[in-house]
Amino acid sequence: MSTLAIRALDKTFVTGKQHKQVLKGIDLTLADNEFVSIVGTSGCGKSTLLSIAAGLEDFDGGDVCVDDVPIRGPGLDRGVVFQSYTLLPWLTARENVEFALKAAGMGRGECREIAEEHLALVNLSAAADAYPNELSGGMQQRVAIARALSYRPKILLMDEPFGALDAMTRRQMQELLTGIWETHRLTVMFVTHDVEEAVFLSDRIVVMGMGHIKQTFNVELPRPRHEEMAGTMEFVDLQRRVLRAIREPASPL
């Protein structure tokens, strides 16, 4: 069953008399429990596509549906994680997660229980009472992931979530995310500039040109994924093919 379906999607930005079409005729379906990464050069429209799927950006034509129901804006069926951690600095880690749950209409006791459960999921139980400025970048992003998962969305939308992290922390976060996904199974759309990251995480990689889909690749590496896979011939070959597709000249819209 398809979870997220994007059909014939068009989007144009208008600035004064300037019209710039950033998405044209995008057709993309993410199946239930599928992990799909979107890659491409800067400015190709991948973050705009994710923002539209999140209900944070309008569009000019086409359809965006979750389980065949058109989206009308943000919703609890979709969790969103950005590169910036977007935590409220005056709230503790636990309170940041609880804040999202209270906004969803849950009671105080239920909020506390679910927040603690999801902080444990991202290995942050010991930091539940810490404020964002007391946490490292990786820990802050784990809080953001816990918050996005806490209200049990069908779909997790992630826009360069590990882009600001150092290489070691980034790999730890990738392994944490794959562990969560493999255990709890949900549909993920993951935008990244890092092709190695896309190969490591994904079931399928979608390469975007300027506003359109150029090519897709199935990732047939076994799961669970582990760091040693990055040195295998299959991994390196797929990484090279994806990079080649990104670098191929894109036809204009």
Side-chain angles (χ1 to χ4, degrees), residues 82-111:
F82 295 104
Q83 180 173 336
S84 57
Y85 313 126
T86 62
L87 301 181
L88 299 173
W90 58 88
L91 298 180
T92 65
R94 182 193 294 110
E95 289 166 344
N96 264 281
V97 180
E98 290 176 346
F99 183 85
L101 296 168
K102 289 173 184 174
M106 297 183 187
R108 179 179 298 178
E110 188 179 12
C111 287

Side-chain angles (χ1 to χ4, degrees), residues 174-224:
Q174 291 165 359
E175 292 178 348
L176 174 72
L177 179 60
T178 56
I180 291 171
W181 177 82
E182 286 163 1
T183 301
H184 293 268
R185 307 298 289 180
L186 71 165
T187 302
V188 180
M189 178 189 282
F190 190 95
V191 168
T192 180
H193 282 92
D194 187 328
V195 173
E196 182 182 352
E197 178 171 73
V199 174
F200 184 79
L201 293 173
S202 308
D203 294 317
R204 186 159 49 109
I205 299 170
V206 175
V207 178
M208 286 189 65
M210 299 307 292
H212 66 281
I213 293 174
K214 292 171 71 176
Q215 198 168 346
T216 63
F217 295 86
N218 292 323
V219 183
E220 297 177 351
L221 298 168
R223 293 189 183 273

Side-chain angles (χ1 to χ4, degrees), residues 15-132:
T15 306
K17 295 183 179 180
Q18 298 286 328
H19 289 66
K20 181 181 180 183
Q21 187 166 22
V22 292
L23 297 173
K24 182 177 182 180
I26 296 290
D27 288 304
L28 178 63
T29 299
L30 277 68
D32 195 31
N33 298 330
E34 188 180 21
F35 197 122
V36 176
S37 287
I38 314 292
V39 299
T41 57
S42 295
C44 70
K46 54 189 184 296
S47 290
T48 301
L49 178 62
L50 184 139
S51 292
I52 289 172
L56 300 173
E57 188 91 51
D58 61 3
F59 52 95
D60 304 317
D63 296 294
V64 182
C65 300
V66 175
D67 292 343
D68 294 324
V69 178
I71 67 166
R72 300 289 183 236
L76 296 178
D77 53 359
R78 285 153 287 146
V80 187
V81 180
F82 295 104
Q83 180 173 336
S84 57
Y85 313 126
T86 62
L87 301 181
L88 299 173
W90 58 88
L91 298 180
T92 65
R94 182 193 294 110
E95 289 166 344
N96 264 281
V97 180
E98 290 176 346
F99 183 85
L101 296 168
K102 289 173 184 174
M106 297 183 187
R108 179 179 298 178
E110 188 179 12
C111 287
R112 173 60 63 97
E113 182 180 341
I114 293 174
E116 291 182 348
E117 174 190 344
H118 283 78
L119 287 173
L121 183 67
V122 297
N123 303 321
L124 277 182
S125 296
D129 295 317
Y131 289 91

